[in-house]
Amino acid sequence: MKALPRKQIAVITGFGLAIALTGCTFGDADSSTYKTREVSDGTTDFVVVENPRGGKTLSYSAEGPIELLEVEDDGATYAFKDMNGNGELDTWEDWRLDSKERAAALADEMSIEQIAGLMLVSSHERSPGDGLTEAQETYLSESNLRNVLNAAGSNVDETVPWVNQMQAYVETLATDGTPYVPVNFSSDPRSTAGSGGYNADGADISRWPSSLGLAATFDASHTEEFGEMASAEYRALGIATALSPQIDLATEPRWLRVAGTFGEDVAQNEELAAAYVRGFQGTGGEDTWGSESVNAMIKHWAGDGPGEGGRESHTEAGKYGVYPGGNLSEHTEGFLGSLDSAAVMTAYSIALDENGEPLFDDRTGTAYDAGRMAILREENGYDGVVVTDWGVMTGVNDPDAFIAMAWGAEDLTPAERYVKVLETGHDMFGGVNDATHILEAAELWQQEFEAGEQEIDAETRFRESGARILTLMLNPGLYENPFVDIEESKKILASDDKVKAGYDAQLDSVVMLKNNGETVTAADAEDWSDKTVYIPRSYNVGIAGAFGPAEYKEYAGIDLEVAEEYFGTVLTDEVVLDENEQVVSYTAPDLSDVDLVLVGLNSPDNGGTFTNAGRDPETKEFYPLSLQYRPYTADGENVRQTSISGDLLADGSKENRSYYGKTSKVLNESDLDAFERARDAIAASGKDIPLITVLKASNATIPAEFEADSDALIVGFGTSDAALLDVALGLHEPKGRLPIQFPANMDTVEAQLEDIAKDMTPYSDADGNTYDYGFGLNYSGVISE
């Protein structure tokens, strides 16, 4: 597009134009000139500008330095933001131009110091209700950080004023030598109905199944619709980048993060990842960037699923991923269907072959591994933003190290780490608030260039990343419209259509694995309104982690308040607690008048992401993660007595991380006690009371401990208790199918290879059904593919 003649540009100062246009109808599609209005969230006042004929909507602080440029084009008058105050419409200010063209032009105007700030993504910000804090002002002003991770809830009254405060503040930081950059807020997944995560509370956002639950629908339209609706809600909270989807192949059934994946089938993974990215990055159901678009960041390249023994790579215990089946190609293939995503996040783990040797030359995590990164950047030509996961730039031996996952690069200096990661093609660094070390890396890079050790100079390398990151900000329109209208947000968040679509997806994701004697049949809500149900209680002993000590939890297997919406009477156990509020005993009630027993189980809980699960904190010995509730001692013939992974020791030997002969430490064994208490109470009643087991699954579970005594078995992946009850009570016919295998026993789990999908012997139940990938029942029997 040719440059506009300067005579067609006028600078509109202040807010006087809005007063002059008060008689006009805001947003008139037939208008030939732009309209403005002032908006307030109660803390920040800002101006909204609506351009005619489909032009971009603009916003800027009412008290800030930004002025408008008025442009005549084909009989219409358009407004543009003069973001550097020079009175001219620069390439990067022209919203009609391609984002990459604008980004390249803007990157050329930035200093290395400012680009270094663009390369940072903040640590988790959890308290928007505190408003703009001094610490936030410091990293915005001194380190030029502009990518902020919102790890709080979805409370619009807290979040929107904080977002607008921050956007108004960064406008004031622009100078002649420091071009304006808005704040790009990002978020981990926040929409999972059954999540106990840090940002899953409240009723102010629509709720959907987990990614594993979306896979269980075997209907990609649910995933795309989720992306379309969730992205609109994200933008209503000021969030323009989603740190998702997580598309690691779940080939290791014990892995602690299976719930966040699309399962273990690579073809399904590709299909759903592509649908997710289309949904998030489009607007209004169209495959185009717009006001509802959110950058999708697929993760974790090149696949973080095959942790040895299922251990998690966030922790020292799980820093090695192993490929005994030589199957890296299938893990990378899962990413290739969604490489039009705006960004990619890389994995933590060190990748080893069946002999314990690095898959490529580097015995390091992905960020430092030139071989794995070359597959992404060179072989597949990915030109979007590449981001490290959080903590990758910190080594465990660094001063004041807290979250430190620079696996294999601990002995490098901080500046050397940044140089190495920049060499592998990364652009941004997760969880870093201070630009000090990256600026040291710029100096080191330049020294290496002048010594002939780098092909390009530091300025060129930094501008390359700067242009990519600015494209990430320009695509969803952050430069044009960074402020959020809180009243509009309240109309968007948890709107009826989104809540219904999310609940419909939850219902369709629920899997029925067993239905002996047609225990579950079509019913109406009134059929249960006068019935009595017994729901047993359980507890989880918790496990200490990076963020605190073990947390003991006591609970009913299914939320009793939810159950009261379905049943006339809800009974549960009598519980005796000690002085520490921990369970001494449970006593089941008299079941003489009970019509149904519902037992809610959670998958066997081995620990969370940051708990170093699989390694005893005192003895430092490794122990097995388990998919059964009762203690499992790993002494079978399939258990490795010598691990594939292990640190290289000072004497030249390799550490053995085997857990042979050790016993599991499942935190919620009490769930199985609850099931057995319910079973025994039914037997004691002398009545034929149906027992329906409702499994809230976060990964594969061995059903052998509870299936035979269950009349029906219902499985949900990240769904609400209400959706599970709707299916269990026959109010919605089940449609879901297993997105992962449920194994027969721990022997087959030990025999399978961490990097190979669907290589276990699935469990076969008392009715002769096999719980393999893709299995599920409806009222008529096995659901056909």
Side-chain angles (χ1 to χ4, degrees), residues 255 304 306-308 310-321 348-350 407 612-613 615 622 657:
W255 186 37
D304 215 16
E308 186 165 25
R311 297 188 293 266
E312 167 52 36
S313 63
H314 275 80
T315 65
E316 194 278 338
K319 64 184 177 182
Y320 292 102
Y348 287 120
S349 55
I350 302 169
W407 305 136
N612 217 38
R615 191 167 200 177
F622 289 87
R657 294 180 160 226

Side-chain angles (χ1 to χ4, degrees), residues 189 192 208-218 223 226 243-274 276 297-307 310 312-314 331 334-335 509 609 697-700 716-718 737-742 754 757 773:
T192 301
W208 299 72
S210 67
S211 289
L212 199 59
L214 288 170
T217 69
F218 279 77
T223 301
F226 163 67
L243 306 185
S244 57
Q246 181 191 336
I247 59 175
D248 313 86
L249 276 187
T251 52
E252 166 49 59
R254 294 164 290 187
W255 186 37
L256 299 177
R257 298 192 70 183
V258 169
T261 74
F262 289 126
E264 61 182 317
D265 183 79
V266 66
Q268 185 182 36
N269 192 84
E270 277 195 85
E271 178 188 26
L272 297 183
Y276 192 112
M297 185 182 294
I298 57 175
K299 61 184 186 183
H300 308 82
W301 177 268
D304 215 16
E312 167 52 36
S313 63
H314 275 80
H331 288 262
F335 287 80
S509 74
T609 302
S698 55
N699 57 0
F717 299 96
R737 295 189 280 144
L738 288 178
I740 50 177
Q741 292 181 312
F742 273 24
E754 284 90 341
Y773 171 84

Side-chain angles (χ1 to χ4, degrees), residues 597-653:
V597 172
L598 284 170
V599 180
L601 304 176
N602 296 288
S603 290
D605 184 359
N606 291 275
T609 302
F610 288 95
T611 61
N612 217 38
R615 191 167 200 177
D616 188 281
E618 297 179 359
T619 67
K620 305 303 180 185
E621 292 181 327
F622 289 87
Y623 62 85
L625 306 184
S626 177
L627 302 181
Q628 66 182 45
Y629 295 96
R630 296 302 183 213
Y632 160 67
T633 299
D635 55 6
E637 63 180 5
N638 294 321
V639 181
R640 293 185 189 121
Q641 298 192 36
T642 301
S643 62
I644 293 174
S645 66
D647 294 344
L648 301 180
L649 305 178
D651 62 3
S653 64

Side-chain angles (χ1 to χ4, degrees), residues 495-528:
S495 60
D496 290 345
D497 59 327
K498 297 181 182 67
V499 170
K500 181 181 185 304
Y503 194 70
D504 287 347
Q506 290 183 54
L507 291 172
D508 286 355
S509 74
V510 176
V511 183
M512 183 162 68
L513 294 180
K514 183 179 182 180
N515 190 22
N516 185 268
E518 297 185 342
T519 300
V520 178
T521 58
D524 294 321
E526 55 267 24
D527 295 337
W528 296 101

